[in-house]
Amino acid sequence: MSKRIGVVTGGGDCPGLNAVIRAVAKASAKRGWDCIGILGGYEGLLEPRQTIPLDYQTLSGLLPRGGTILGTANRGKFSAKVGHAESRLLPKELLDGVKAGMEALGLFALVSIGGDGSLSIAQQLFEHGIPIVGVPKTIDNDLEGMLFTFGFDSAVACATDALDRLHTTAESHDRVMILEVMGRYAGWIALYAGVAGGADVILIPEIPFSYESICEKIQEREKLGKKFTIIVVAEGAREKGGEFVTSAADTTIGEARLGGIGAVVSARLEKCTGKESRVCVLGHLQRCGSPTTFDRALCSIFGATAVELVAAGDFGKMVAFTGPQVGAIKISDVIGKLKVVRPDGNLVRTARALGICFGD
Ligand code: F6P
């Protein structure tokens, strides 16, 4: 009987999950291993177990397809995140349940594709004796030790396209147009899209802003004959001394759901500048659809590298793009550590050199 491995996706979805699944399954097949997908996150390993074979037929058309064919969950029994980079310990019955599921399915290893929460579960499973390898994903790009996570480039491409589009309506109506993007407590999406999309103001969690500074920038542009202003605001951005703006208290995961800062900024700017302002909340559009070329390549490397780790018996590790090559690091070295934008980093300094205002 051939050896068999399982693949599971956890946390919020993101472009490129299917491309990683495909790469893991193809690289496994190349080694003569059977590969199956666990449905609905780790819960698919519990009774009644839910899996699909990841054979050549299933893999057809997966590379450009958004979402995950395995389904995923960032709520429920296996939700490990309880807040700002904190996680909870799973009860022993659940860890035992996963072990029993793997035994029943004849799996000798598990590849877990997920963000900080899923990786924290992967670490707990590893400590419980389960041979597991992680593949980091998040559009937020906020995992410590990683130059880039897959999904980030696709999210930035979507936000940049939105900024390009907003320019034309802002210019036609002489308005302040605000684009609110995701990213949780890190401003990577706003920063990269803001620079790539020619924003005039970028507001990120790492650099608290003041309305006076933004108004000055708008007025300065008016004097130069630019009657419109483009602002990109990260959902986790906040005024100096202010709180995060939340759209809902998400009691199911004990973590606040960020959102709404764009509308708050818009109302304040209308008041202080007298100019009309509109908000566009990009929301989940950033997380869906096809991965970019860069993400497809990264996902393929990540999937193939995960299989190399499994083959080497290098468990408890995750694939890591630390640059210039993709390698591996211990999952325990990374979980719970947020990688945020450095206010003195390269791209912030570049943005400032180009005249972009951070509202500070
Ligand atoms: O972590 C990815 C992310 O898209 C964040 O940028 C965002 O705050 C959050 O997930 C939204 O999660 P949900 O889809 O569960 O509302």
Side-chain angles (χ1 to χ4, degrees), residues 12-13 74-75 81 137-140 142 182-184 189 235 250 253 257-258 284 287:
D13 68 346
N74 55 3
R75 312 280 189 276
K81 277 189 93 170
K137 74 83 233 191
T138 167
I139 62 162
D140 303 336
D142 60 354
M182 285 183 168
R184 236 184 260 271
I189 298 177
E235 61 181 0
D250 198 331
I253 52 170
R257 196 181 305 160
L258 296 173
H284 289 79
R287 262 188 22 200

Side-chain angles (χ1 to χ4, degrees), residues 273-294:
T273 62
K275 284 189 75 68
E276 258 197 312
S277 168
R278 294 287 187 275
V279 191
C280 169
V281 180
L282 199 51
H284 289 79
L285 284 175
Q286 290 156 98
R287 262 188 22 200
C288 49
S290 258
T292 55
T293 315
F294 177 81

